[in-house]
Amino acid sequence: MKKVTIKDVAQEAGVSTSTVSQYLNGRYHYMGEETKERVAEAVEALGYRPNYMARNLKSASTKTIGIIVSNILHHFAVSVTRKIEDYCDRDGYNLIICNADDDPQKERKYIDGLLEKQVDGLIIMPTRGNDDLYRKLATQQFPIVFIDRYVENIDIPAFKLDNHHAISLAVDYLKGRGAETFHYIGASDDMSLTPRIERLAAFREIVGKMGVPHHVITATNASLYEKVEAEFKSGDAGGIVLANDFALMAFLKHANSHDLDLETDNHLVAIDDLPLAGVYRPEITTIAQPIDEIAEEAYREVMGSLQNETSRKYPIYNFKGELMER
């Protein structure tokens, strides 16, 4: 069987080989919609399959992006990865997804593996255990961004929730519901991860200035329920800030086992807008992260860096969350 070439596709579509090449590389803005459709039909009709290895060697591109999430079980990690996959699919890129499980050794293994596969760029939720490697990539000007977290003194742009603003929204809402005592329930900050540090610090600052009774309960995600069981004391007019989806699940398990009143005595606000919040009874007020904005800006930064078109002015980009009152 004769091998179909770009020249054959160009002849079938009635365009130049250059136009076919632009189409195969996803550069659709160089052509009109009618031309794009003609080339697509010709590719399909002739059964043309590009020689990706040859193209990649010539262009020094694998058309692949790697994303390493801290914990794939988090609603934020799943949602932001889904959006980035949409952008990659749109632009003709493949996305390799890795789950570090908040383990620096796993993260380092994945970074090394992705670099060996010659990915064009990296999007990482850093574990904070590989600062030397992050710094090396930044020095080499490798296309890389952080999401959800940042690392001080390393020139890698980060795209994340404005955690102080999110906690402020939560406390203001609870105060408006008549809360007089406040609880903060979340993951421990012993790993120095940005969301954990910033959310807890913001809570302590805000309720401290209010001069109201407050209590902090933190533990690893796996042991958070047991810590809530041991330390949470229900009372009248209680406001509870749940710092992530694991905290929400741990608290709801506790509330169900003790038949807590979540409408009159206790009021909740959870960071991250889990689908569960809208179907649980009573419904749960949340702070929705601007996932679309974070994903789009992080992806745009990587792609701009690939094309030497970045105009980065700041190392950290904070995005405001939205109160989803229920």
Side-chain angles (χ1 to χ4, degrees):
M1 180 183 293
K2 178 180 177 293
K3 184 176 180 179
V4 179
T5 67
I6 284 183
K7 186 179 291 186
D8 295 327
V9 175
Q11 185 174 359
E12 176 76 13
V15 298
S16 67
T17 56
S18 174
T19 298
V20 175
S21 179
Q22 298 287 9
Y23 171 86
L24 294 173
N25 283 286
R27 301 191 185 104
Y28 305 132
H29 54 285
Y30 286 98
M31 64 194 71
E33 189 63 31
E34 183 182 347
T35 299
K36 177 182 171 183
E37 289 179 7
R38 287 211 313 273
V39 176
E41 289 171 0
V43 167
E44 179 69 22
L46 297 176
Y48 176 72
R49 295 293 179 268
N51 185 339
Y52 285 105
M53 289 301 293
R55 284 171 57 199
N56 292 340
L57 287 171
K58 183 178 180 181
S59 65
S61 170
T62 59
K63 301 288 283 185
T64 304
I65 300 295
I67 182 168
I68 304 176
V69 298
S70 57
N71 190 328
I72 199 67
L73 295 178
H74 279 298
H75 173 71
F76 174 82
V78 173
S79 300
V80 79
T81 299
R82 182 67 182 83
K83 291 303 299 183
I84 290 170
E85 193 276 331
D86 284 342
Y87 301 136
C88 286
D89 181 61
R90 178 195 66 193
D91 295 340
Y93 275 76
N94 296 306
L95 182 68
I96 299 177
I97 304 166
C98 302
N99 173 43
D101 255 342
D102 282 321
D103 181 343
Q105 291 185 341
K106 266 184 95 171
E107 181 191 57
R108 192 177 195 95
K109 179 187 73 173
Y110 284 135
I111 292 174
D112 289 340
L114 291 169
L115 292 176
E116 286 176 6
K117 288 180 171 61
Q118 298 184 318
V119 295
D120 294 335
L122 288 171
I123 300 171
I124 300 178
M125 296 180 192
T127 65
R128 286 307 317 273
N130 294 300
D131 290 16
D132 60 326
L133 186 51
Y134 309 147
R135 190 171 287 107
K136 180 180 178 182
L137 291 169
T139 300
Q140 295 172 343
Q141 296 187 319
F142 185 83
I144 177 174
V145 299
F146 292 147
I147 50 176
D148 190 51
R149 307 164 178 182
Y150 69 90
V151 181
E152 293 180 350
N153 303 317
I154 295 181
D155 188 24
I156 293 176
F159 302 83
K160 54 180 279 296
L161 178 70
D162 185 332
N163 289 298
H164 190 281
H165 176 259
I167 296 297
S168 179
L169 285 177
V171 172
D172 284 347
Y173 168 79
L174 293 171
K175 188 168 58 174
R177 296 298 299 270
E180 297 174 359
T181 61
F182 291 82
H183 285 79
Y184 175 96
I185 301 174
S188 57
D189 63 354
D190 55 0
M191 290 182 67
S192 299
L193 300 177
T194 305
R196 302 180 187 184
I197 292 173
E198 290 187 344
R199 291 173 194 177
L200 180 53
F203 176 81
R204 283 178 165 147
E205 174 195 332
I206 293 167
V207 298
K209 288 180 179 178
M210 291 165 57
V212 295
H214 58 277
H215 182 57
V216 171
I217 300 174
T218 62
T220 64
N221 288 328
S223 60
L224 191 52
Y225 169 69
E226 287 74 16
K227 195 74 177 292
V228 172
E229 280 282 291
E231 296 189 12
F232 182 79
K233 298 294 187 291
S234 179
D236 296 338
I240 302 144
V241 177
L242 301 160
N244 63 20
D245 41 8
F246 281 92
L248 173 61
M249 297 303 292
F251 183 79
L252 290 182
K253 183 178 179 181
H254 170 81
N256 288 337
S257 65
H258 293 273
D259 198 24
L260 294 186
D261 179 354
L262 301 184
E263 293 187 280
T264 305
D265 294 340
N266 301 281
H267 302 288
L268 313 181
V269 177
I271 308 294
D272 283 339
D273 190 31
L274 270 71
L276 164 72
V279 297
Y280 191 83
R281 290 294 178 268
E283 293 181 305
I284 301 163
T285 294
T286 60
I287 306 294
Q289 294 208 47
I291 289 170
D292 289 5
E293 292 179 70
I294 292 173
E296 182 177 6
E297 292 302 318
Y299 177 78
R300 181 181 297 172
E301 178 67 28
V302 169
M303 300 308 290
S305 182
L306 278 172
Q307 300 166 21
N308 297 314
E309 294 177 355
T310 53
S311 57
R312 187 172 75 244
K313 296 179 180 179
Y314 309 104
I316 303 170
Y317 295 83
N318 287 299
F319 297 83
K320 306 289 188 185
E322 180 182 359
L323 181 74
M324 309 299 290
E325 185 173 351
R326 296 183 173 93

